[in-house]
Amino acid sequence: MRMLINVPETVVADALRGMAAAHPELTVDVENRVIVRRDAPVAGKVALVSGGGSGHEPLHGGFVGPGMLSAACPGEVFTSPVPDQMVRAAAAVDSGAGVLFVVKNYTGDVLNFDMAAELAEDEGIQIAKVLVDDDVAVTDSLYTAGRRGTGATLFVEKIAGAAADEGRPLERVEAIARQVNEGSRSFGVALSACTTPAKGSPTFELPAGELELGIGIHGEPGRERRRMMTSGEIAEASLDAILHDVTPRNPVLVLVNGMGATPLLELYGFNAEVQRVLGERGVAVARVLVGNYVTSLDMAGASVTLCQVDEELLRLWDAPVRTPGLRWGM
């Protein structure tokens, strides 16, 4: 097993210790697995809390900071965090204005955030929740009932985070988060399987010369397997799936996201093909983000996410942000 780790059992704790050393602007509780922006709670501000299994970095801990999340709860690799983490995070960041839980649609995350919401409300914390379910590849999967939450999570956390930083009330921040999710669609492609530290071998078999269309961020099977395709063909297949599901009426934000092991040289080339296809289909593009943001350990491949935006959402997207994984305007 060729991994830059000590032992599988301490992978998450080791990463959190390293994150704490690299980012003093964050408070990283290694023992309790909670990452909090150091200035929290911010008086009068709605707080955003998210989380999920580790292995998708920089999601979610890398998006904690001004303009995005107030706190994040990392679980074990590809495993939901537990309710105690979520309650501890909510208590650490609540200023009295309420807390929005951003939840990807995976069964463990949904159940644990639901339980955490009840426990937090018992402690007097006002909680709202938004479920992210943007993936058009499959309706149900190994980990979900309904569509999976993938790349749109970044859009929800950034845009709702900007709204919260402007002092919007909880009901409005929640409504904006829901609007972003409802206007977003994603599709992913794997060129190789990922390898979890605990297993030490690929999570699924993908023969040489083949790729998997419509994968999830845990290595879940996609909708079909094909012989290897060119970058342009992959862009066409991905956008065919997205645009079959929705016809954008507004300009879109575009996320061309690497799954963890695909270099920027390839991602920028893939983005060129994505932009070509969108142009041919008459889809107006407002902003583009390219890089590894919602990953799956060492999986090679990419996903595409489109998010329809109006003037308000675009302004919130452009608002300043300062986190380990995303920053501009500050």
Side-chain angles (χ1 to χ4, degrees):
M1 182 169 61
R2 296 181 180 180
M3 290 185 174
L4 196 61
I5 65 173
N6 292 315
V7 293
E9 292 77 13
T10 66
V11 164
V12 176
D14 291 345
L16 291 175
R17 289 191 296 105
M19 188 176 198
H23 297 287
E25 71 275 18
L26 303 178
T27 299
V28 181
D29 184 339
V30 177
E31 180 179 358
N32 293 305
R33 307 286 175 91
V34 176
I35 303 164
V36 179
R37 52 186 281 185
R38 189 170 288 279
D39 61 352
V42 178
K45 187 185 100 65
V46 169
L48 269 69
V49 173
S50 192
S54 296
H56 306 303
E57 290 73 20
L59 190 79
H60 295 272
F63 297 147
V64 175
M68 286 192 82
L69 295 176
S70 306
C73 309
E76 291 297 328
V77 173
F78 291 177
T79 302
S80 172
V82 298
D84 284 352
Q85 290 173 259
M86 301 159 186
V87 175
R88 186 173 282 108
V93 299
D94 179 39
S95 68
V99 176
L100 177 67
F101 283 165
V102 179
V103 188
K104 300 189 305 302
N105 188 32
Y106 294 95
T107 302
D109 290 359
V110 172
L111 292 175
N112 286 350
F113 270 103
D114 282 349
M115 186 179 301
E118 295 179 7
L119 295 171
E121 287 170 344
D122 288 344
E123 295 185 10
I125 302 172
Q126 185 181 6
I127 300 290
K129 293 176 291 182
V130 60
L131 189 68
V132 182
D133 57 353
D134 54 304
D135 181 24
V136 304
V138 295
T139 302
D140 298 300
S141 73
L142 298 176
Y143 295 85
T144 62
R147 291 181 168 179
R148 302 175 290 210
T150 57
T153 313
L154 182 151
F155 290 144
V156 170
E157 292 176 355
K158 170 62 184 78
I159 293 173
D165 273 14
E166 288 185 350
R168 306 288 186 90
L170 181 60
E171 295 78 8
R172 182 59 186 151
V173 176
E174 178 188 7
I176 287 171
R178 293 186 185 279
Q179 181 183 353
V180 173
N181 177 64
E182 290 166 3
S184 298
R185 301 291 189 277
S186 297
F187 190 86
V189 179
L191 310 182
S192 73
C194 60
T195 301
T196 61
K199 186 178 180 183
S201 60
T203 53
F204 62 91
E205 295 297 324
L206 188 58
E210 296 187 2
L211 55 74
E212 187 90 19
L213 291 174
I215 48 85
I217 58 174
H218 304 94
E220 306 99 306
R223 55 166 61 175
E224 63 177 306
R225 188 168 291 184
R226 293 187 189 177
R227 298 293 299 171
M228 188 59 199
M229 303 156 65
T230 66
S231 177
E233 291 168 339
I234 294 171
E236 290 168 359
S238 300
L239 289 165
D240 280 346
I242 291 172
L243 298 176
H244 177 76
D245 194 85
V246 64
T247 301
R249 295 180 175 84
N250 292 337
V252 297
L253 305 176
V254 180
L255 171 62
V256 172
N257 172 69
M259 301 307 295
T262 301
L264 279 170
L265 179 70
E266 296 178 31
L267 290 177
Y268 278 121
F270 182 53
N271 179 54
E273 297 299 331
V274 169
Q275 300 307 314
R276 172 185 63 80
V277 175
L278 290 174
E280 292 173 351
R281 308 293 172 83
V283 179
V285 175
R287 301 286 187 273
V288 181
L289 183 65
V290 179
N292 290 285
Y293 294 101
V294 183
T295 63
S296 185
L297 293 170
D298 60 343
M299 179 185 287
S303 63
V304 179
T305 304
L306 305 184
C307 174
Q308 297 186 71
V309 289
D310 56 21
E311 289 185 4
E312 180 187 30
L313 296 188
L314 184 59
R315 182 184 61 78
L316 292 170
W317 173 255
D318 287 340
V321 59
R322 189 172 73 247
T323 72
L326 200 69
R327 60 177 60 209
W328 56 68
M330 287 185 174

